[in-house]
Amino acid sequence: MNHNEEVPDFLGGRGDMLPADVLKVLNELLEQLHRKDKKHQGSPVFIYAPGSQYVDTQINIGKVQPDSPKGTEKGTSNLPEVLATDGAMALWRKAQQAGYVDEHYQPLLSRTQAALLAHYMAKKLEIKDKWKTFEVLWDRRNMYRDYYDAMNQDQTYLFLDKLKELFE
């Protein structure tokens, strides 16, 4: 790719971006691609620029917006209030350190293990509507089924022991 500094619109109106801003936009794009891949389980993701004619799944590349300070560590994630309390944030940190969730509180586990994690966190935080809370956060459906499937697997009890040790 050739860079032409004389044409200010060379980067689609983003020619004035500093390298750090470019990296932020690229990081946001990669994060969106990663999330889209999880949602569509391998279906193609099409990236478009303004003026594109046909797009199946759109990922908008826009100017970097500063994170809105909310007084929690959630950054750009949309944690529900019940999962953004001080007690919940302590659990999230432990889950992140154990490699169970990423920096955006998305599970890095199988569906059944994620359901076990959600159940355990909801129990510790006394969340009444646990499945709906975590289904919205993780963009999943029927987590109660994943939980009951997990309860019929031998390795479940080993994972439950790990969760108990982690969160106690």
Side-chain angles (χ1 to χ4, degrees):
M1 177 157 90
N2 296 327
H3 180 69
N4 186 348
E5 292 181 13
E6 295 176 11
V7 181
D9 197 34
F10 176 72
L11 296 174
R14 291 173 183 76
D16 61 338
M17 292 178 71
L18 298 173
D21 293 331
V22 172
L23 289 174
K24 284 181 184 178
V25 170
L26 179 59
N27 201 19
E28 285 178 1
L29 173 63
L30 291 173
E31 178 184 317
Q32 289 176 14
L33 283 171
H34 178 71
R35 287 185 182 199
K36 292 291 182 184
D37 186 46
K38 282 184 178 179
K39 287 180 184 176
H40 296 96
Q41 298 177 350
S43 65
V45 175
F46 299 96
I47 303 170
Y48 80 100
S52 297
Q53 292 182 355
Y54 174 78
V55 177
D56 181 34
T57 302
Q58 296 181 355
I59 298 177
N60 294 311
I61 303 173
K63 291 215 177 213
V64 176
Q65 300 296 324
D67 290 342
S68 56
K70 301 281 186 196
T72 67
E73 299 173 5
K74 62 185 174 181
T76 59
S77 295
N78 294 321
L79 281 177
E81 282 184 35
V82 70
L83 291 175
T85 64
D86 290 339
M89 295 313 294
L91 296 179
W92 284 122
R93 276 190 297 278
K94 289 179 180 181
Q96 286 174 338
Q97 290 169 351
Y100 296 158
V101 295
D102 66 13
E103 66 275 4
H104 301 287
Y105 314 107
Q106 296 300 305
L108 300 172
L109 303 163
S110 68
R111 287 187 63 92
T112 54
Q113 288 178 327
L116 292 169
L117 175 64
H119 173 77
Y120 204 91
M121 287 184 70
K123 184 177 177 183
K124 294 288 285 181
L125 298 170
E126 299 178 355
I127 298 171
K128 291 180 178 28
D129 198 4
K130 64 184 166 198
W131 301 129
K132 182 177 181 182
T133 301
F134 282 93
E135 285 174 350
V136 169
L137 176 64
W138 292 343
D139 192 29
R140 295 197 174 172
R141 293 189 178 140
N142 303 317
M143 285 186 68
Y144 68 93
R145 275 187 136 157
D146 296 332
Y147 175 78
Y148 289 110
D149 287 346
M151 297 310 289
N152 292 320
Q153 297 175 355
D154 293 333
Q155 70 268 19
T156 293
Y157 296 101
L158 294 174
F159 187 69
L160 285 174
D161 288 342
K162 287 181 184 179
L163 288 176
K164 184 176 181 181
E165 185 179 314
L166 181 68
F167 292 134
E168 294 300 323

